[in-house]
Amino acid sequence: MSDPDVSAPDSRAAAPPDAALPEPHIVRSARPRLSLVWLVPLLALAIGASLVVRSILQTGPRIEIEFHTAEGLEAGKTEVRYKEVVIGRVQAVTLRDDRQHVIAEVQLDRAAAGVAVDDTSFWVVRPRVGVGGISGIGTLLSGAYIGVDAGVSSEARSRFTGLEVAPYVLRGEPGSVFILRAADLGSLDVGSPIYYRRTRVGRVVGYTLDAPHDELSVKIFIEAPYTTLVTPQTRFWNASGVDLSIDANGLSVNTQTVASVLAGGIAFEQPADSPRGAAAAGGTGFTLFADRKTAMAPPRGPALPVRLVFDGSLRGLAPGAPIDFQGVEIGSVRSAALHHDAEHRRYPVQVLADLYPLRLATLRSGSPTAQAKDSDQALLQRLVDSGLRAQLRSGNLLTGQLYVAMDFYPKAPPQKLKLQGGVLTLPTVPGTLSELQSQVAEIVAKLSRLPFDDIGRALTDTLRQADSTMKDLTPEARQTLGALQRTLGSTDAAITTLAPEAQARLGELRRVMAGAQTAIERLDGSLLNDNAPLQRDLAQTLAEVQRAAQSLRVLTDLLQRHPESLLRGNPADPALPERGRAP
Amino acid sequence: MTVGAPATSAPAAPRWLGCECCGLVSALPADGALRHCPRCQHVLHWRKPQSLQRTWAYLVAASVLYVPANVLPIMRTTQAFRDRPHTLMGGIAELWHDGAWGLALIVFIASIAVPLMKIGALALLAWSAQHAPQWRRLERARVFGLIEAVGHWSMLDVYVVVLLAAMVRFGALASAQAGPGLLAFAAVVVLTMLAAHSFDPRLIWQAPAPRDP
């Protein structure tokens, strides 16, 4: 193809020359003149390059997170947020090859590249409604997102396994985690509140049931300013539900907040008598008690298993029944089982019980902290030597509940503690009820030994003999009775004849008596009446005598003071003080 | 590319110039002064100055910016606490998934295909003006007319995004912001228009065609 003339419009040198004239040399410019317009693509290139470089700089690592389900995850939409700041986005959601899990591919921002380290955890935040509260409300509108708890490791990682539930303690959240060993979980759940003086100071962050060791441990988190409230002496108890108790003060209902009644919760407190120690270190283990009463009871310490062998029936003795030592609960019954006593050919019941020697610590002669098993045994032996015996007693007459009472029976035959298979056997005495039973049985046995048949037979013979005797005596008795009847009849007749005479005598007597009465009345009138002359004379005479006695007393006084007056007469009266001098 | 004119098979010297604006034909003087149309005062060119060079430059710039225009988000919407960037292709894919195939097709043609075709066609025109001047001249001229006509329709996307950003303002519930991709996209459209404008269609007809009359 021929090279066409594509000259620029200003190439006016191309005017046709005359044929006669020589043609000028046309020199092609060695390099074409560059227009300034080329700055435009250069600028575009610069802008494009800067955008590309910036986006490369902004793009962080790409990580993969495994989840059980992709619920709520959308490729290109679901965000990854750390402290509610978007640090990445899900690019793709795929099934893992074995179809057990889904894999979310996440493009992290450059600024958040440090998040992709070994101990970072990811989880999907979805709206969650529980009794304890509602979380993730924002996700109702915005859709689920992936939450991040950034790790502190320096080891980078690109594959993660997502958590199914959000961790309840975020890294760096101020506070401490404690472990509570619990017998059962009650209505606790992850997120249940922890109360101190009914103020919420923390929450349950997890629980694990260690199946091989049959242990339930509850992990709790106490928020930062309150961690100092937890000391080694602190007691935790399950504050769920309502604590209803009847005591000497009447019925009392004790609850924590309504929320804890519904949703469960844990409360803790420091026993008033224990010294206030330093704050417990994070991760310290505590016991979770069932209620406040047991929590605040004096510490029981480790249990010492003991064996009690009772002869009588144990009906009414339930596992958990207390062992009471003079009103102080020092243990509880664990189980009861039949036992064969080959020596005595009996089948006593063997009760296994837990004794808490710490409750007996004050009885220890040595230091109360010595808790070796030997010293426990020595202590118990000492108590047994002084007559300590176990006895079954009735705790409740209505329900027939039994409990084990430890008490002193100084007259009991001395016994030694037996250690059998690591379990001490404490001596027992029969219970009050069974004692009574045996006494009654003894009496009954004695009664049954009486010869009731012989007695009855002898009695019958006696009665028969008496009967025959009576029969022999009957004719004589009849004669005697006839004679007696006749005697009575003659007596009656005699009395009848005597009656008019007696009546006359009685009339006479009545008249005499009337005469005597009038005589006495007359005498009474003359003698005893106030107006009787005899009476008046007597009174006058007595007055005279009284006056004579008075003057006699005056005379004796005068003579006593002035014996000379008997010879000289009355002394002169002293002169009276003058009236004008008187004040 | 050659700017100088080889003297070999040069056509007869132009003596007349047509005005690109009003169409008046005026005589070409021999001096090299800048000429204006005596009727409409429009600048008269024998050929547009540095036409091919400019065209190429704009085309290069447009194709460079075409990459960020498609990769970067052209719009960022915030809808109920969720922030979402949208790229051109992503938006088209969403429309397609939602069943709005017609709309997706329209947006695809207007925003992706047309700029790309414009760049390609202009590059072909510029190349052929230099290296294949006699190849399908009539079709090339028609293609150029089409490019001129269709060019500014590509700005539709820019208008839509700017309107959305201005009108959708509901605080935290919903809002829309223009993204950096939009700037690049607008630049691509503007640059292709400039490239089309820089290209002188007379270059198509410059070489004498043996079969042409």
Side-chain angles (χ1 to χ4, degrees), chain A residues 251-314:
Chain A
L251 182 78
S252 67
V253 180
N254 199 4
T255 65
Q256 290 286 325
T257 62
V258 176
S260 75
V261 170
L262 291 175
I266 292 176
F268 67 90
E269 205 174 314
Q270 168 116 350
D273 50 349
S274 70
R276 179 147 205 109
T284 310
F286 292 94
T287 305
L288 181 65
F289 294 96
D291 52 35
R292 183 174 186 276
K293 203 178 102 192
T294 49
M296 302 305 279
R300 309 188 303 189
L304 176 76
V306 292
R307 185 186 292 117
L308 305 162
V309 181
F310 292 103
D311 262 339
S313 158
L314 291 188

Side-chain angles (χ1 to χ4, degrees), chain B residues 157-213:
Chain B
D157 293 305
V158 181
Y159 295 147
V160 167
V161 172
V162 167
L163 273 178
L164 273 181
M167 295 177 71
V168 183
R169 289 189 181 277
F170 302 118
L173 277 179
S175 66
Q177 297 95 35
L182 187 73
L183 272 180
F185 183 78
V188 168
V189 175
V190 169
L191 284 170
T192 51
M193 282 160 75
L194 282 175
H197 185 71
S198 313
F199 185 74
D200 195 336
R202 287 174 290 198
L203 290 172
I204 298 171
W205 304 108
Q206 188 162 300
R211 291 184 298 275
D212 271 356

Side-chain angles (χ1 to χ4, degrees), chain A residues 112 138 190 343:
Chain A
V190 173
E343 192 183 334

Side-chain angles (χ1 to χ4, degrees), chain A residues 1-276:
Chain A
M1 199 180 286
S2 67
D3 196 7
D5 184 3
V6 285
S7 63
D10 53 343
S11 58
R12 285 172 302 276
D18 285 335
L21 292 176
E23 277 192 27
H25 289 285
I26 294 175
V27 181
R28 283 189 184 194
S29 53
R31 56 181 71 156
R33 205 156 50 84
L34 275 180
S35 162
L36 275 180
V37 80
W38 284 100
L39 284 177
V40 175
L42 276 181
L43 198 69
L45 208 60
I47 292 171
S50 77
L51 287 175
V52 167
V53 165
R54 209 177 70 177
S55 77
I56 285 175
L57 283 182
Q58 270 185 353
T59 308
R62 202 178 171 92
I63 58 171
E64 290 181 351
I65 311 171
E66 256 183 37
F67 289 108
H68 273 296
T69 166
E71 185 194 341
L73 298 182
E74 282 179 89
K77 289 183 184 172
T78 306
E79 294 160 349
V80 180
R81 298 191 196 175
Y82 177 56
K83 294 183 190 252
E84 294 301 310
V85 174
V86 179
I87 60 165
R89 202 171 284 276
V90 172
Q91 297 296 328
V93 180
T94 52
L95 264 182
R96 209 172 65 177
D97 292 341
D98 60 2
R99 284 176 280 174
Q100 297 292 315
H101 290 87
V102 293
I103 295 177
E105 285 177 39
V106 170
Q107 180 68 58
L108 288 178
D109 291 348
R110 188 78 183 174
V115 163
V117 290
D118 201 36
D119 52 350
T120 298
S121 42
F122 296 88
W123 65 94
V124 180
V125 180
R126 302 183 178 103
R128 198 181 297 270
V129 181
V131 188
I134 300 171
S135 66
I137 274 286
T139 58
L140 278 179
L141 295 169
S142 67
Y145 61 90
I146 296 181
V148 183
D149 187 17
V152 292
S153 165
S154 57
E155 210 167 310
R157 190 171 157 188
S158 65
R159 287 190 69 96
F160 295 90
T161 304
L163 305 176
E164 289 312 304
V165 289
Y168 276 86
V169 186
L170 296 183
R171 208 178 302 274
E173 194 175 352
S176 295
V177 171
F178 298 102
I179 313 288
L180 304 182
R181 286 176 304 275
D184 69 287
L185 196 60
S187 55
L188 293 177
D189 200 356
V190 173
S192 293
I194 316 279
Y195 292 103
Y196 179 73
R197 296 177 194 268
R198 294 200 173 88
T199 310
R200 191 184 171 130
V201 296
R203 58 192 185 272
V204 173
V205 294
Y207 53 87
T208 46
L209 181 60
D210 183 7
H213 299 99
D214 193 19
E215 275 181 353
L216 180 69
S217 57
V218 180
K219 218 168 152 189
I220 62 166
F221 181 76
I222 305 288
E223 285 154 22
Y226 307 118
T227 48
T228 51
L229 295 173
V230 181
T231 66
Q233 284 80 38
T234 298
R235 309 283 176 75
F236 290 84
W237 70 90
N238 198 328
S240 328
V242 180
D243 185 8
L244 198 92
S245 59
I246 301 175
D247 54 12
N249 297 323
L251 182 78
S252 67
V253 180
N254 199 4
T255 65
Q256 290 286 325
T257 62
V258 176
S260 75
V261 170
L262 291 175
I266 292 176
F268 67 90
E269 205 174 314
Q270 168 116 350
D273 50 349
S274 70
R276 179 147 205 109

Side-chain angles (χ1 to χ4, degrees), chain A residues 214-420:
Chain A
D214 193 19
E215 275 181 353
L216 180 69
S217 57
V218 180
K219 218 168 152 189
I220 62 166
F221 181 76
I222 305 288
E223 285 154 22
Y226 307 118
T227 48
T228 51
L229 295 173
V230 181
T231 66
Q233 284 80 38
T234 298
R235 309 283 176 75
F236 290 84
W237 70 90
N238 198 328
S240 328
V242 180
D243 185 8
L244 198 92
S245 59
I246 301 175
D247 54 12
N249 297 323
L251 182 78
S252 67
V253 180
N254 199 4
T255 65
Q256 290 286 325
T257 62
V258 176
S260 75
V261 170
L262 291 175
I266 292 176
F268 67 90
E269 205 174 314
Q270 168 116 350
D273 50 349
S274 70
R276 179 147 205 109
T284 310
F286 292 94
T287 305
L288 181 65
F289 294 96
D291 52 35
R292 183 174 186 276
K293 203 178 102 192
T294 49
M296 302 305 279
R300 309 188 303 189
L304 176 76
V306 292
R307 185 186 292 117
L308 305 162
V309 181
F310 292 103
D311 262 339
S313 158
L314 291 188
R315 189 175 178 80
L317 186 76
I323 297 182
D324 180 286
F325 180 49
Q326 311 216 332
V328 177
E329 193 182 322
I330 60 163
S332 63
V333 170
R334 202 195 297 166
S335 65
L338 279 173
H339 177 66
H340 176 47
D341 186 356
E343 192 183 334
H344 297 97
R345 298 177 61 84
R346 282 189 308 183
Y347 297 92
V349 187
Q350 180 174 295
V351 172
L352 276 180
D354 288 328
L355 213 61
Y356 305 114
L358 207 58
R359 297 252 169 102
L360 298 171
T362 46
L363 305 179
R364 232 176 271 274
S365 51
S367 69
T369 51
Q371 285 173 22
K373 202 150 192 164
D374 284 341
S375 75
D376 286 340
Q377 194 177 346
L379 171 73
L380 285 174
Q381 180 63 60
R382 202 151 46 78
L383 291 170
V384 167
D385 288 347
S386 339
L388 185 78
R389 298 289 184 274
Q391 189 188 39
L392 279 180
R393 284 187 192 165
S394 177
N396 189 327
L397 284 175
L398 287 177
T399 58
Q401 291 283 318
L402 293 181
Y403 70 99
V404 179
M406 306 291 285
D407 214 338
F408 288 102
Y409 296 88
K411 287 175 195 160
Q415 278 200 318
K416 294 293 279 182
L417 281 176
K418 276 176 285 184
L419 190 65
Q420 185 182 343

Side-chain angles (χ1 to χ4, degrees), chain B residues 109-192:
Chain B
I109 289 172
S111 309
I112 306 273
V114 166
L116 208 61
M117 273 159 55
K118 266 167 79 180
I119 292 173
L122 277 170
L124 183 73
L125 286 177
W127 177 82
S128 61
Q130 283 169 276
H131 299 289
Q134 295 179 354
W135 175 69
R136 290 177 180 269
R137 294 199 277 199
L138 193 60
E139 285 88 342
R140 277 158 61 198
R142 281 182 184 153
V143 163
F144 182 75
L146 197 68
I147 288 171
E148 282 270 76
V150 96
H152 35 270
W153 287 102
S154 294
M155 278 305 233
L156 260 182
D157 293 305
V158 181
Y159 295 147
V160 167
V161 172
V162 167
L163 273 178
L164 273 181
M167 295 177 71
V168 183
R169 289 189 181 277
F170 302 118
L173 277 179
S175 66
Q177 297 95 35
L182 187 73
L183 272 180
F185 183 78
V188 168
V189 175
V190 169
L191 284 170
T192 51

